[in-house]
Amino acid sequence: MDAVQHVFKGTFIHSTTRCDLEIIENHMLGTDRVGKILFFEDAQIQSRLSQKWGFDESNIQALGNNEFFMPGMIDTHIHAPQYTFIGIGMERPLLEWLEHTTFPTEDTFCDVELARNMYNTVVYDRVKPIITPRFAISCSERLLNKLGKLAEKHDLHIQSHISESPAEIKEVRRLFPDYNNYTEVYDRNKLLTNKTVMAHGCYLTNEELCVFRERGAAISHCPNSNISLCSGHLDVRNALNHRVKMGLGTDVAGGYSISLLDAIRKAIETSKIIFMERSKSERDNNETQNKQQENMKPDEVNEDTQNGPMKTENNHNVLSYKEAFWLATLGGSEALGIDHITGNFKVGKEFDALIINPEAKDSPFEVNSHVSKEEMLQRFLYLGDDRNIKSVYVAGICVVPFPSNT
């Protein structure tokens, strides 16, 4: 029997493959010595769990009444060498920002000691080798082809950027005239696989999204960066309707925030902007059709026009906070191909979790006694910050607050 390292008791909120948000109250979760979840059961059978797993009930770590566990949030796209200039050059569009801010700074990382110090600051040690063509513009066709073959030979993960801005897409078309679209540049060179994560995708067509789905490739949605560099908006609803894997990314330093809470909020806001723009476009089209009908002669009005302007089916609706929560947790783990390791509180996965305390000192929001756990989660996602994050566990190890060396 595996030895029990931790036993927690309280409310757990996570996503599953069946629902975007599941709130599980009065439950107990136990982890083993390597940080994997051993059991996740109703606290009503606490005594039986103690006997089965051999832990002392006095060692159970119980959450406060309004506290809850949620899975650790997963950033699917970040640039470690850009961490040094977050918030700089935001007045420039993408390609100008790269030329004037990003590339000159990244050139300094030829200093190995500088690079080592920065990567140790930003990157957690749970890393894997990954093939990373920056984007098609910076690569020759021969390089892309060689990278694709290398990834195939060693079954490696792949990451890059795609369809981030109109200027970028225009340049890709100029450099790769024999390809039908941006997606095909990667696909024909074996760089679009079920281990691929492509950032942005603001202008991917439905045809390209179908290729993403067929290949099992994922999109990292980086709404802060998309807005900050005036790149565009990703229609998340459309991508999800095409059953494309997706997570959220901060894209530091194209995005000026390292917080996944910011990514959640901006993902929802972007979805609302798209919805409003689409609604306005449909209203304008309807007004135009109505005016055209008003100007038609009686004998030009047929049976179809008499029924009013032709209506198109609109399946678009805004991203809910539950879906954004899923994107930041389980969706991100699926995008990175690590959903068998992390993303929710399923038995056998590693215990990656946050303890959220809505009543923390100096909390940016207030909690009344009658507020439900679902409402508390909403307030945390929209209003909370690091003051509400009481503890952080990675693979069963408490990394925040930092363990005392004394």
Side-chain angles (χ1 to χ4, degrees):
M1 181 181 297
D2 294 317
V4 176
Q5 181 70 14
H6 297 290
V7 179
F8 303 101
K9 180 178 179 180
T11 297
F12 297 80
I13 302 177
H14 70 172
S15 300
T16 71
T17 55
R18 297 184 302 275
C19 65
D20 298 323
L21 186 71
E22 185 176 41
I23 299 175
I24 308 171
E25 299 189 65
N26 195 33
H27 261 59
M28 296 180 64
L29 181 148
T31 68
D32 63 17
R33 296 191 183 280
V34 294
K36 290 189 176 181
I37 300 172
L38 288 173
F39 61 84
F40 187 36
E41 302 280 354
D42 195 307
Q44 291 183 6
I45 61 170
Q46 177 175 313
S47 296
R48 274 189 282 164
L49 290 172
S50 175
Q51 292 174 4
K52 177 180 178 179
W53 295 101
F55 61 85
D56 190 330
E57 293 184 57
S58 65
N59 292 330
I60 296 172
Q61 302 173 58
L63 298 187
N65 288 334
N66 286 325
E67 295 178 345
F68 59 88
F69 275 110
M70 63 174 282
M73 291 179 281
I74 298 171
D75 191 342
T76 59
H77 188 72
I78 185 172
H79 296 258
Q82 295 180 10
Y83 190 75
T84 58
F85 56 91
I86 297 175
I88 296 176
M90 296 285 95
E91 72 280 0
R92 299 180 185 275
L94 173 65
L95 297 186
E96 291 183 18
W97 178 76
L98 289 171
E99 180 183 356
H100 294 279
T101 304
T102 306
F103 293 153
T105 304
E106 290 183 353
D107 282 345
T108 65
F109 276 69
C110 61
D111 182 333
V112 176
E113 189 61 27
L114 172 67
R116 181 182 294 111
N117 291 337
M118 183 50 59
Y119 274 77
N120 286 338
T121 299
V122 179
V123 181
Y124 183 68
D125 60 6
R126 190 196 293 175
V127 296
K128 296 180 180 179
I130 185 166
I131 297 294
T132 310
R134 178 157 210 137
F135 57 174
I137 293 176
S138 64
C139 301
S140 66
E141 185 177 37
R142 182 173 181 272
L143 175 59
L144 291 172
N145 187 263
K146 292 289 186 181
L147 290 174
K149 290 180 178 178
L150 184 65
E152 181 181 48
K153 179 180 179 180
H154 298 284
D155 193 27
L156 296 175
H157 289 263
I158 300 163
Q159 65 177 353
S160 191
H161 304 77
I162 192 168
S163 296
E164 184 173 354
S165 76
E168 172 204 13
I169 295 170
K170 182 178 179 180
E171 185 65 7
V172 169
R173 287 173 179 161
R174 185 185 71 81
L175 294 172
F176 299 91
D178 296 330
Y179 292 81
N180 292 320
N181 52 52
Y182 203 158
T183 296
E184 192 175 273
V185 174
Y186 292 121
D187 189 36
R188 274 171 48 184
N189 289 291
K190 300 182 178 182
L191 288 166
L192 209 65
T193 74
N194 62 0
K195 288 191 172 183
T196 296
V197 181
M198 289 286 173
H200 305 292
C202 298
Y203 301 95
L204 291 174
T205 64
N206 289 338
E207 179 186 358
E208 290 176 284
L209 289 172
C210 287
V211 175
F212 265 73
R213 182 187 66 235
E214 291 166 3
R215 301 293 183 268
I219 297 173
S220 174
H221 180 32
C222 306
N224 186 312
S225 175
N226 294 341
I227 296 168
S228 296
L229 299 178
C230 298
S231 297
H233 296 310
L234 170 63
D235 189 341
V236 173
R237 174 66 60 217
N238 189 42
L240 292 178
N241 286 344
H242 279 82
R243 302 193 304 280
V244 176
K245 294 187 297 186
M246 186 177 300
L248 296 180
T250 60
D251 193 29
V252 166
Y256 57 78
S257 174
I258 63 173
S259 172
L260 262 294
L261 288 173
D262 172 85
I264 286 173
R265 294 160 190 168
K266 285 190 170 54
I268 296 171
E269 291 166 5
T270 295
S271 179
K272 291 178 179 179
I273 290 170
I274 292 173
F275 176 75
M276 290 187 293
E277 290 177 344
R278 185 162 299 169
S279 297
K280 181 179 183 302
S281 177
E282 290 177 354
R283 288 196 303 271
D284 291 344
N285 289 337
N286 288 340
E287 289 177 3
T288 299
Q289 291 181 34
N290 286 331
K291 289 179 180 178
Q292 289 174 344
Q293 289 181 32
E294 291 173 0
N295 294 329
M296 292 174 69
K297 297 177 182 178
D299 58 351
E300 292 178 324
V301 179
N302 58 32
E303 185 176 343
D304 291 333
T305 59
Q306 285 178 332
N307 291 329
M310 183 177 66
K311 295 181 180 179
T312 57
E313 184 178 5
N314 180 11
N315 290 322
H316 185 86
N317 56 305
V318 299
L319 195 69
S320 70
Y321 84 89
K322 295 179 181 180
E323 291 172 307
F325 176 85
W326 171 82
L327 286 171
T329 55
L330 185 59
S333 70
E334 291 176 352
L336 296 182
I338 57 173
D339 49 305
H340 61 294
I341 298 174
T342 188
N344 60 13
F345 298 124
K346 184 177 179 180
V347 171
K349 292 188 179 183
E350 294 182 356
F351 185 64
D352 293 341
L354 311 176
I355 297 179
I356 306 303
N357 179 12
E359 298 177 321
K361 181 181 180 181
D362 297 328
S363 173
F365 62 95
E366 294 182 0
V367 175
N368 300 319
S369 58
H370 65 278
V371 173
S372 68
K373 289 294 193 299
E374 183 173 344
E375 290 172 327
M376 281 194 289
L377 174 65
Q378 289 185 62
R379 292 188 181 186
F380 170 66
L381 295 181
Y382 279 108
L383 303 169
D385 58 29
D386 57 331
R387 288 171 288 184
N388 300 111
I389 301 176
K390 181 178 179 179
S391 301
V392 177
Y393 286 83
V394 177
I397 300 173
C398 184
V399 296
V400 176
F402 295 108
S404 174
N405 294 323
T406 59

